[in-house]
Every structure is written in structure tokens, then in C-alpha cells.
């Protein structure tokens, strides 16, 4: 399939993007040529992924599957997850005008895409959707949920950035950091990125993961909530991020505390997305 070739190429494009951003961090944060190349490569990777996803959609239509959404199994959802991370990062780069953020974001896009392409457990064949998946609520539920997941992944990357720079600042006594850490944005800026990406992801996850998911569950299984393991862990993840935003607003938590909560939240997100499917049997196991 042409879509498979494009998505395979996307893996190497994401890898090139991640390497370039790490190189910018280590060797030349002010190198405009390298920065331009990194951005163009990332945009190219996103374009390849978009074309691959749309082609896969079209290929399913040509096979006569009728209703189909190209993110209905683990392989396709990982591809879409990587796509969301890449798009989210490009938005951050445009807003904050600092490409060192890419060193802590684009590796996640590469890992997700490579995991999709080369993990032997995933079946990449096109197959008709199960009856429970043949709903417009699936598209709304999955798109919103995975944009939320991508925001949480980026927030995790920014949290790692914050914690590593904060450690350097504490050891050196220099508020701007020393060595390559000096090229990273100020701690206050990184903290702002963490908060805003968590807030954005929380809104999408609430609407897409919980509300749209409940509506879809009712149309597919006749109940809005069944305490399925995936639903339960989604709720746990929601509470982790709700608590993070709560202490941010009411107690003024910031810095290391919020960064560690972002780490905890992403661990819960990964288990909700991946762990539940293979460790706990439930209605979402086919995902």
C-alpha cells in the first residue's frame, strides 16, 4: 500500500527532526540555518504522515469497507498520536520562538511512529471495523482524546526540560543555567509551557475522552459508563490532571511541583492508552 510506504518514510523524517533539534540544543541554538532545516524537516514529516493517514483512509474505501476511520487500532492510533505531537510542537515553536523545545518534544513523535511501524505485535493490515466502532462518535472521541494525549506528552517533555535545567541552576547558582542548559528557555517560560499544554490537553481529554466516549459507549453498548478498565483509568488520569490544575489555581503551585505532577500524569496517560489494553481485559481490548 502507498500509505504504508509514506508512513514508513515518516518514521525516518521524525528521527531526522529529533536529531536536528537535539543538535541545535547541543551545538547551536542560534544557528539559523540548522533551525530552518529542522523546522522544514518537521513540517515535511507532518505532511508525509498526513498524506499517509489520508491514503490509508482512501485505501479502506477502495477495498469496500464502507465506514472506516484510520485510527481504530493500536497501529493507526500510534501513527495519529505521533502526528498530533508533531503538530503540537510546531505550534509551540511558532508561539515561543525557541527551537530547543524540539529536543524534548520531537523524540516522542519518533518513538510513537517507530513503535507503530516496527513493533511486531501490531497488525498493520486494513480490516473492516467492528460494529461497535462504526460510529461518528468514534472519530470525535479518538481525535479529541489523542490531541489531549499529545499535549500531555509534550507537557511531560517540558517537565523533563524544567527538572534538568532546575537541577543545573541549583548546582551552578546561575539563574540562566550553564553550558547547554543556558540555551533552554528561562524556567518561568518552561513552567508556563507545562501549564498551558496541560490545560489544553485536559480540556480536550475531558470533552473527547470522557464526554464523547460516554456518548459513544451508550450508542455501542447501551450504557454511558460501565467501569471498564479503560474507562476507570481514564478517570484516574483525569483526576491527576484535574488535581494538577486545582493546586496550580488554588495554592499557586509551580515549578518543580507542577513538573513532577506532569510526569505522574503522563505515566498514568501511558498506562491508560497502552497498559490497559494488554494487562487488563475489557471492552476496549480490541483497541
Amino acid at each position: 500500500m502507498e500509505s504504508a510506504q509514506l508512513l514508513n518514510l515518516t518514521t525516518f523524517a521524525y528521527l531526522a527532526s529529533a536529531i536536528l533539534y537535539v543538535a541545535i540544543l547541543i551545538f547551536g541554538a542560534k544557528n539559523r540555518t540548522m533551525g530552518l532545516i529542522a523546522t522544514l524537516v518537521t513540517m515535511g514529516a507532518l505532511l508525509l504522515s498526513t498524506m499517509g493517514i489520508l491514503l490509508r483512509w482512501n485505501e479502506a474505501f477502495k477495498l469496500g469497507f464502507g465506514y472506516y476511520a484510520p485510527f481504530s487500532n493500536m497501529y493507526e492510533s500510534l501513527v495519529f498520536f505521533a502526528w498530533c505531537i508533531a503538530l503540537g510542537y510546531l505550534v509551540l515553536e511558532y508561539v515561543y520562538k525557541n527551537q530547543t523545545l524540539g529536543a524534548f518534544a520531537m523524540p516522542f513523535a519518533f518513538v510513537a511512529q517507530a513503535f507503530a511501524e516496527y513493533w511486531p505485535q501490531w497488525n498493520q493490515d486494513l480490516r473492516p471495523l467492528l460494529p461497535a466502532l462504526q460510529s461518528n462518535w468514534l472519530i470525535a472521541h479518538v481525535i479529541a482524546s489523542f490531541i489531549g494525549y499529545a499535549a500531555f506528552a509534550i507537557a511531560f517533555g517540558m517537565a523533563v526540560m524544567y527538572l534538568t535545567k532546575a537541577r543545573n541552576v541549583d548546582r551552578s547558582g546561575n539563574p540562566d543555567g550553564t553550558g547547554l542548559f543556558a540555551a533552554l528557555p528561562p524556567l518561568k517560560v518552561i513552567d508556563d509551557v507545562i501549564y498551558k499544554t496541560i490545560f489544553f490537553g485536559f480540556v480536550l481529554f475531558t470533552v473527547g475522552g470522557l464526554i464523547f466516549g460516554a456518548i459513544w459507549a451508550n450508542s455501542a453498548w447501551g450504557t454511558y459508563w460501565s467501569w471498564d478498565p479503560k474507562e476507570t483509568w481514564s478517570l484516574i488520569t483525569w483526576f491527576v490532571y484535574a488535581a494538577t490544575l486545582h493546586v496550580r489555581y488554588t495554592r499557586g503551585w509551580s515549578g518543580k511541583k507542577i513538573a513532577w505532577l506532569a510526569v505522574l500524569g503522563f505515566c498514568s496517560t501511558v498506562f491508560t492508552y497502552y497498559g490497559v489494553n494488554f494487562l487488563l481485559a475489557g471492552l476496549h481490548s480490541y483497541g
Side-chain angles (χ1 to χ4, degrees), residues 1-173:
M1 294 183 294
E2 292 182 10
S3 63
Q5 296 174 5
L6 285 175
L7 292 174
N8 191 46
L9 286 174
T10 301
T11 308
F12 295 98
Y14 283 147
L15 175 60
S17 170
I19 291 173
L20 283 167
Y21 283 117
V22 171
I24 287 172
L25 172 63
I26 297 174
F27 301 113
K30 295 182 180 180
N31 189 321
R32 293 185 178 181
T33 301
M34 187 183 295
L36 177 60
I37 293 173
T39 300
L40 290 176
V41 168
T42 306
M43 293 174 68
L46 185 65
L47 179 61
L48 281 173
S49 182
T50 303
M51 292 171 61
I53 292 170
L54 292 177
L55 269 176
R56 188 173 177 88
W57 206 331
N58 186 56
E59 288 161 353
F61 178 78
K62 288 182 177 179
L63 288 172
F65 289 170
Y67 190 94
Y68 191 84
F71 27 69
S72 57
N73 55 47
M74 184 58 75
Y75 166 72
E76 293 173 343
S77 67
L78 280 166
V79 169
F80 186 62
F81 181 42
W83 184 91
C84 291
I85 293 173
L87 177 62
Y89 165 69
L90 285 172
V91 172
L92 279 184
E93 182 180 304
Y94 176 78
V95 172
Y96 287 93
K97 303 294 189 296
N98 190 306
Q99 293 181 309
T100 60
L101 299 174
F104 293 85
M106 286 310 298
F108 290 105
F110 163 68
V111 169
Q113 184 73 27
F115 196 32
E117 292 293 329
Y118 301 114
W119 191 255
Q121 189 172 356
W122 312 141
N123 190 328
Q124 300 181 12
D125 296 337
L126 281 166
R127 296 181 177 182
L129 294 184
L130 296 172
L133 298 178
Q134 296 179 14
S135 169
N136 288 327
W137 288 110
L138 166 70
I139 298 177
H141 170 61
V142 173
I143 289 178
S145 294
F146 275 91
I147 294 175
Y149 285 166
F152 295 153
I154 293 172
F156 170 73
M158 298 303 104
V160 173
M161 176 192 287
Y162 186 96
L163 293 170
T164 53
K165 175 157 185 170
R167 184 178 182 183
N168 176 263
V169 168
D170 291 341
R171 287 185 171 185
S172 66

Side-chain angles (χ1 to χ4, degrees), residues 53 64 77 98 120 141 145 164 197 203 212 221 229 241 247 253 274 285:
I53 292 170
S77 67
N98 190 306
H141 170 61
S145 294
T164 53
T197 50
V203 172
F212 289 169
W221 304 309
Y241 285 110
V247 295
W253 282 22
Y274 177 77
S285 295

